[in-house]
Amino acid sequence: MELRAVKYFVAVAEAGSVTGGAEHVRISQPAVSRQLVGLEREVGTPLFTRGHGAVQLTHAGRRFLPMARDLLRRESLAREVLGRRSVEDLRLTVVAQQTTILRTLAPFIAAHGAGHPILDAVEAAPAQVYETVRSIGADIGVSTIAPPADWASKRVASVGLSAHVPSEHPLAEHEAVEVADLVRYPLILMERTHTSRTSFEAAVTRSGTTVDNPAVMSSSALAQAAAAAGRGAAVLTDAPAYGLHSVRVVHQGGRVGMPLYAAWDRDHYAGGHIAHWVAEYADWLPELEDIVDVAPL
Protein backbone atom coordinates (compact mmCIF):
# COMPACT_ATOMS: atom_id res chain seq x y z
CA MET A 1 0.00 0.00 0.00
CA GLU A 2 1.51 3.31 -1.09
CA LEU A 3 1.40 6.08 1.50
CA ARG A 4 0.81 8.53 -1.33
CA ALA A 5 -2.55 6.90 -2.06
CA VAL A 6 -3.37 6.88 1.65
CA LYS A 7 -2.57 10.60 1.81
CA TYR A 8 -4.92 11.29 -1.12
CA PHE A 9 -7.64 9.19 0.50
CA VAL A 10 -7.48 11.23 3.72
CA ALA A 11 -7.44 14.51 1.78
CA VAL A 12 -10.54 13.56 -0.23
CA ALA A 13 -12.35 12.22 2.84
CA GLU A 14 -11.73 15.46 4.74
CA ALA A 15 -12.60 17.69 1.77
CA GLY A 16 -15.75 15.75 0.84
CA SER A 17 -14.87 15.79 -2.84
CA VAL A 18 -12.12 14.62 -5.17
CA THR A 19 -11.72 18.18 -6.44
CA GLY A 20 -11.24 19.56 -2.94
CA GLY A 21 -8.85 16.79 -1.98
CA ALA A 22 -6.81 17.33 -5.15
CA GLU A 23 -6.56 21.05 -4.42
CA HIS A 24 -5.36 20.33 -0.89
CA VAL A 25 -2.56 18.01 -1.98
CA ARG A 26 -1.87 20.14 -5.11
CA ILE A 27 -2.20 17.22 -7.49
CA SER A 28 -4.45 17.00 -10.55
CA GLN A 29 -7.90 15.55 -10.01
CA PRO A 30 -7.43 12.69 -12.51
CA ALA A 31 -4.22 11.64 -10.76
CA VAL A 32 -5.94 11.60 -7.38
CA SER A 33 -8.88 9.63 -8.81
CA ARG A 34 -6.52 7.01 -10.27
CA GLN A 35 -4.75 6.61 -6.94
CA LEU A 36 -8.06 6.18 -5.13
CA VAL A 37 -9.25 3.55 -7.58
CA GLY A 38 -5.96 1.70 -7.11
CA LEU A 39 -6.27 1.91 -3.33
CA GLU A 40 -9.83 0.55 -3.42
CA ARG A 41 -8.69 -2.28 -5.67
CA GLU A 42 -5.87 -3.07 -3.25
CA VAL A 43 -8.05 -3.13 -0.11
CA GLY A 44 -10.74 -5.05 -2.01
CA THR A 45 -13.73 -2.80 -1.31
CA PRO A 46 -15.08 0.65 -2.24
CA LEU A 47 -14.07 3.38 0.19
CA PHE A 48 -16.32 6.11 -1.27
CA THR A 49 -19.72 6.46 -2.85
CA ARG A 50 -19.56 8.99 -5.67
CA GLY A 51 -22.12 11.28 -7.24
CA HIS A 52 -22.48 14.84 -8.56
CA GLY A 53 -18.99 15.88 -7.53
CA ALA A 54 -19.34 15.03 -3.85
CA VAL A 55 -18.14 11.81 -2.27
CA GLN A 56 -19.14 10.05 0.92
CA LEU A 57 -17.28 7.43 2.87
CA THR A 58 -18.67 3.91 2.77
CA HIS A 59 -18.77 1.88 5.97
CA ALA A 60 -15.37 0.45 5.03
CA GLY A 61 -14.09 3.96 4.32
CA ARG A 62 -15.20 5.20 7.74
CA ARG A 63 -13.41 2.31 9.39
CA PHE A 64 -10.28 2.86 7.30
CA LEU A 65 -10.05 6.64 7.90
CA PRO A 66 -8.62 6.55 11.46
CA MET A 67 -6.16 3.83 10.39
CA ALA A 68 -5.12 5.91 7.40
CA ARG A 69 -4.53 8.95 9.59
CA ASP A 70 -2.49 6.81 11.96
CA LEU A 71 -0.36 5.50 9.07
CA LEU A 72 0.38 9.04 7.92
CA ARG A 73 1.17 10.17 11.44
CA ARG A 74 3.52 7.25 11.96
CA GLU A 75 5.25 7.97 8.68
CA SER A 76 5.69 11.60 9.71
CA LEU A 77 6.89 10.59 13.14
CA ALA A 78 9.39 8.12 11.67
CA ARG A 79 10.89 10.89 9.54
CA GLU A 80 10.95 13.17 12.58
CA VAL A 81 12.57 10.62 14.87
CA LEU A 82 15.18 9.60 12.32
CA GLY A 83 15.94 13.15 11.26
CA ARG A 84 15.83 15.07 14.53
CA ARG A 85 18.99 16.39 16.15
CA SER A 86 17.82 16.01 19.77
CA VAL A 87 14.92 14.76 21.84
CA GLU A 88 13.85 18.39 22.37
CA ASP A 89 12.89 18.50 18.68
CA LEU A 90 10.44 15.59 19.04
CA ARG A 91 6.77 16.56 19.14
CA LEU A 92 4.24 14.43 21.04
CA THR A 93 0.50 14.76 21.60
CA VAL A 94 -1.10 13.68 24.89
CA VAL A 95 -4.83 12.99 25.30
CA ALA A 96 -6.21 13.63 28.79
CA GLN A 97 -9.16 15.18 30.57
CA GLN A 98 -9.07 18.93 31.13
CA THR A 99 -8.33 18.65 34.87
CA THR A 100 -5.28 16.46 34.21
CA ILE A 101 -3.97 18.89 31.59
CA LEU A 102 -4.41 21.95 33.80
CA ARG A 103 -3.33 20.46 37.14
CA THR A 104 -0.48 18.13 36.14
CA LEU A 105 0.66 18.26 32.51
CA ALA A 106 0.91 22.03 32.08
CA PRO A 107 2.77 22.63 35.39
CA PHE A 108 5.13 19.73 34.67
CA ILE A 109 6.00 21.06 31.22
CA ALA A 110 6.42 24.58 32.58
CA ALA A 111 8.89 23.32 35.18
CA HIS A 112 10.70 20.57 33.26
CA GLY A 113 9.80 20.87 29.59
CA ALA A 114 13.06 22.27 28.24
CA GLY A 115 14.77 18.89 28.15
CA HIS A 116 11.74 16.91 26.98
CA PRO A 117 9.85 16.53 23.71
CA ILE A 118 7.57 19.40 22.73
CA LEU A 119 4.17 18.44 24.11
CA ASP A 120 0.67 19.33 23.01
CA ALA A 121 -2.58 18.07 24.52
CA VAL A 122 -6.09 17.18 23.38
CA GLU A 123 -8.98 17.05 25.84
CA ALA A 124 -11.17 13.96 26.25
CA ALA A 125 -13.29 12.44 29.00
CA PRO A 126 -11.40 9.72 30.95
CA ALA A 127 -13.43 6.90 29.39
CA GLN A 128 -12.67 8.22 25.89
CA VAL A 129 -8.95 8.95 26.25
CA TYR A 130 -7.52 5.79 24.69
CA GLU A 131 -10.03 5.66 21.84
CA THR A 132 -9.19 9.31 21.10
CA VAL A 133 -5.48 8.44 21.03
CA ARG A 134 -6.27 5.81 18.41
CA SER A 135 -8.68 7.90 16.34
CA ILE A 136 -6.50 11.02 16.01
CA GLY A 137 -3.14 9.25 16.00
CA ALA A 138 -1.95 10.85 19.25
CA ASP A 139 1.05 9.51 21.16
CA ILE A 140 0.14 9.16 24.85
CA GLY A 141 -3.07 8.77 26.85
CA VAL A 142 -3.27 9.89 30.49
CA SER A 143 -6.43 8.75 32.26
CA THR A 144 -7.91 7.49 35.49
CA ILE A 145 -9.26 4.53 33.48
CA ALA A 146 -7.00 1.49 33.15
CA PRO A 147 -5.45 1.30 29.65
CA PRO A 148 -5.88 -1.55 27.14
CA ALA A 149 -3.86 -4.62 28.11
CA ASP A 150 -1.81 -4.59 24.91
CA TRP A 151 -0.53 -1.02 25.44
CA ALA A 152 2.67 -0.06 27.23
CA SER A 153 1.60 1.71 30.41
CA LYS A 154 2.51 2.92 33.87
CA ARG A 155 0.37 3.69 36.92
CA VAL A 156 1.89 7.06 37.74
CA ALA A 157 -0.07 8.20 40.80
CA SER A 158 -3.26 8.27 42.82
CA VAL A 159 -5.27 11.48 42.71
CA GLY A 160 -7.22 12.47 45.82
CA LEU A 161 -10.86 13.52 45.86
CA SER A 162 -11.97 16.78 47.49
CA ALA A 163 -15.31 18.26 48.48
CA HIS A 164 -15.58 21.85 47.24
CA VAL A 165 -17.77 24.01 49.47
CA PRO A 166 -18.47 27.75 49.90
CA SER A 167 -17.20 29.63 52.95
CA GLU A 168 -20.58 29.48 54.72
CA HIS A 169 -20.79 25.67 54.45
CA PRO A 170 -20.40 23.75 57.76
CA LEU A 171 -17.38 21.87 56.30
CA ALA A 172 -15.54 24.99 55.14
CA GLU A 173 -13.30 25.13 58.22
CA HIS A 174 -12.39 21.43 58.03
CA GLU A 175 -9.24 20.07 56.37
CA ALA A 176 -10.81 16.64 55.79
CA VAL A 177 -14.19 14.96 55.98
CA GLU A 178 -15.05 11.29 56.37
CA VAL A 179 -17.22 9.85 53.59
CA ALA A 180 -19.79 8.74 56.18
CA ASP A 181 -20.13 12.38 57.32
CA LEU A 182 -20.01 13.94 53.85
CA VAL A 183 -23.02 11.98 52.59
CA ARG A 184 -25.22 13.74 55.18
CA TYR A 185 -24.96 16.93 53.12
CA PRO A 186 -26.42 17.70 49.67
CA LEU A 187 -23.86 16.57 47.11
CA ILE A 188 -22.95 17.46 43.55
CA LEU A 189 -21.37 14.52 41.71
CA MET A 190 -20.05 14.07 38.20
CA GLU A 191 -21.64 11.64 35.75
CA ARG A 192 -20.53 8.02 36.00
CA THR A 193 -18.29 8.42 32.96
CA HIS A 194 -16.00 10.32 35.38
CA THR A 195 -13.83 8.20 37.65
CA SER A 196 -14.25 10.71 40.47
CA ARG A 197 -17.88 9.58 40.66
CA THR A 198 -17.21 5.84 40.60
CA SER A 199 -14.31 6.15 43.06
CA PHE A 200 -16.45 8.15 45.47
CA GLU A 201 -19.34 5.70 45.20
CA ALA A 202 -16.95 2.82 45.93
CA ALA A 203 -15.85 4.64 49.08
CA VAL A 204 -19.49 5.24 50.03
CA THR A 205 -20.13 1.51 49.72
CA ARG A 206 -17.13 0.72 51.90
CA SER A 207 -18.42 3.16 54.52
CA GLY A 208 -21.77 1.36 54.66
CA THR A 209 -23.71 4.51 53.78
CA THR A 210 -25.65 5.79 50.76
CA VAL A 211 -26.00 9.02 48.80
CA ASP A 212 -29.51 10.41 48.50
CA ASN A 213 -30.51 12.32 45.36
CA PRO A 214 -27.21 13.99 44.40
CA ALA A 215 -27.14 16.64 41.72
CA VAL A 216 -25.35 15.09 38.74
CA MET A 217 -23.25 17.22 36.37
CA SER A 218 -21.23 16.59 33.22
CA SER A 219 -19.12 19.77 33.56
CA SER A 220 -16.79 20.08 36.55
CA ALA A 221 -16.67 23.86 36.10
CA LEU A 222 -20.45 24.07 36.40
CA ALA A 223 -20.39 21.63 39.31
CA GLN A 224 -18.15 24.11 41.13
CA ALA A 225 -20.42 26.99 40.10
CA ALA A 226 -23.39 25.11 41.57
CA ALA A 227 -21.44 24.52 44.78
CA ALA A 228 -20.58 28.23 44.96
CA ALA A 229 -24.30 28.98 44.59
CA GLY A 230 -24.98 26.89 47.68
CA ARG A 231 -26.49 23.83 46.01
CA GLY A 232 -24.21 21.32 47.70
CA ALA A 233 -20.65 20.05 48.11
CA ALA A 234 -19.04 19.20 44.76
CA VAL A 235 -16.88 16.05 44.86
CA LEU A 236 -14.08 16.62 42.35
CA THR A 237 -10.36 16.46 41.62
CA ASP A 238 -10.22 20.01 40.23
CA ALA A 239 -8.53 22.96 41.89
CA PRO A 240 -11.13 25.02 43.79
CA ALA A 241 -12.63 28.04 42.01
CA TYR A 242 -15.23 30.74 42.72
CA GLY A 243 -13.97 31.17 46.29
CA LEU A 244 -14.69 27.55 47.21
CA HIS A 245 -12.82 25.71 49.96
CA SER A 246 -11.29 22.32 49.20
CA VAL A 247 -11.87 19.66 51.87
CA ARG A 248 -10.06 16.32 51.53
CA VAL A 249 -12.38 13.30 51.31
CA VAL A 250 -11.21 10.42 53.52
CA HIS A 251 -12.45 7.00 54.58
CA GLN A 252 -11.30 5.79 58.00
CA GLY A 253 -8.60 8.45 57.89
CA GLY A 254 -7.18 7.44 54.49
CA ARG A 255 -7.52 9.73 51.49
CA VAL A 256 -10.07 8.60 48.91
CA GLY A 257 -8.39 8.62 45.52
CA MET A 258 -8.23 7.09 42.10
CA PRO A 259 -5.32 5.81 40.00
CA LEU A 260 -3.78 7.82 37.19
CA TYR A 261 -2.27 5.95 34.23
CA ALA A 262 -0.11 6.92 31.29
CA ALA A 263 -0.22 4.59 28.26
CA TRP A 264 1.09 4.40 24.71
CA ASP A 265 1.42 2.03 21.76
CA ARG A 266 4.08 -0.61 22.43
CA ASP A 267 5.31 -0.25 18.85
CA HIS A 268 5.52 3.55 18.92
CA TYR A 269 8.59 4.84 17.08
CA ALA A 270 9.46 7.07 20.03
CA GLY A 271 8.55 4.50 22.67
CA GLY A 272 11.86 4.85 24.52
CA HIS A 273 11.52 8.62 24.77
CA ILE A 274 7.89 8.30 25.86
CA ALA A 275 8.80 5.82 28.60
CA HIS A 276 11.50 8.21 29.85
CA TRP A 277 9.07 11.15 29.82
CA VAL A 278 6.42 9.13 31.69
CA ALA A 279 8.95 8.06 34.35
CA GLU A 280 9.99 11.67 35.01
CA TYR A 281 6.35 12.78 35.05
CA ALA A 282 5.63 10.08 37.66
CA ASP A 283 8.65 11.17 39.73
CA TRP A 284 7.41 14.77 39.76
CA LEU A 285 3.74 14.16 40.52
CA PRO A 286 4.18 13.71 44.32
CA GLU A 287 5.05 17.43 44.47
CA LEU A 288 1.36 18.19 43.88
CA GLU A 289 -0.92 18.59 46.88
CA ASP A 290 -3.65 16.20 45.75
CA ILE A 291 -1.39 13.34 44.66
CA VAL A 292 -1.86 10.97 47.57
CA ASP A 293 0.29 8.02 46.70
CA VAL A 294 2.52 6.88 43.89
CA ALA A 295 2.92 3.41 42.45
CA PRO A 296 6.42 1.89 42.79
CA LEU A 297 8.63 2.57 39.77
Side-chain angles (χ1 to χ4, degrees):
M1 183 181 298
E2 291 191 15
L3 286 175
R4 177 176 56 179
V6 175
K7 179 180 179 181
Y8 296 167
F9 164 75
V10 171
V12 171
E14 292 178 345
S17 70
V18 176
T19 300
E23 290 176 353
H24 179 74
V25 296
R26 299 182 180 181
I27 301 294
S28 70
Q29 181 177 333
V32 170
S33 295
R34 285 195 298 271
Q35 289 289 331
L36 292 179
V37 170
L39 179 61
E40 289 177 321
R41 185 182 303 116
E42 187 171 1
V43 299
T45 187
L47 299 173
F48 295 102
T49 56
R50 299 164 173 83
H52 304 292
V55 297
Q56 290 187 332
L57 289 169
T58 62
H59 177 72
R62 290 193 298 272
R63 293 193 64 183
F64 182 60
L65 182 57
M67 292 183 279
R69 287 173 172 154
D70 184 55
L71 285 171
L72 295 180
R73 181 174 180 80
R74 286 172 179 269
E75 188 264 349
S76 175
L77 181 59
R79 292 179 184 274
E80 188 174 321
V81 170
L82 294 174
R84 72 178 189 279
R85 290 170 299 189
S86 65
V87 67
E88 294 89 342
D89 297 327
L90 183 64
R91 292 178 177 269
L92 300 175
T93 298
V94 179
V95 178
Q97 67 172 322
Q98 183 185 48
T99 301
T100 302
I101 294 170
L102 294 178
R103 300 205 71 185
T104 73
L105 293 173
F108 176 66
I109 295 304
H112 303 279
H116 290 135
I118 299 171
L119 210 69
D120 197 5
V122 173
E123 294 179 15
Q128 299 170 345
V129 162
Y130 306 120
E131 182 57 36
T132 303
V133 171
R134 286 193 181 105
S135 65
I136 69 172
D139 305 290
I140 310 168
V142 178
S143 177
T144 50
I145 302 292
D150 59 340
W151 288 33
S153 65
K154 181 178 182 64
R155 181 182 181 273
V156 294
S158 267
V159 182
L161 295 182
S162 297
H164 296 266
V165 297
S167 57
E168 62 272 16
H169 195 281
L171 294 175
E173 300 301 320
H174 293 246
E175 291 187 0
V177 58
E178 284 282 341
V179 170
D181 296 325
L182 180 58
V183 297
R184 299 172 184 171
Y185 298 94
L187 296 181
I188 303 167
L189 304 178
M190 300 304 294
E191 293 180 332
R192 286 193 172 91
T193 55
H194 291 255
T195 322
S196 60
R197 170 73 178 275
T198 54
S199 297
F200 179 68
E201 288 185 334
V204 169
T205 299
R206 291 196 300 272
S207 72
T209 58
T210 59
V211 178
D212 294 326
N213 300 317
V216 178
M217 309 288 286
S218 58
S219 165
S220 60
L222 291 182
Q224 292 203 68
R231 293 185 175 274
V235 180
L236 303 166
T237 59
D238 301 55
Y242 314 121
L244 294 171
H245 296 261
S246 179
V247 183
R248 298 193 304 275
V249 178
V250 300
H251 173 56
Q252 296 180 349
R255 187 75 181 271
V256 176
M258 53 192 182
L260 186 67
Y261 303 92
W264 61 99
D265 187 334
R266 291 186 186 277
D267 298 323
H268 197 292
Y269 287 107
H273 295 300
I274 291 173
H276 178 73
W277 179 89
V278 168
E280 294 204 7
Y281 174 57
D283 285 342
W284 172 83
L285 281 169
E287 298 182 17
L288 299 182
E289 179 180 355
D290 286 328
I291 299 300
V292 296
D293 95 280
V294 178
L297 298 181

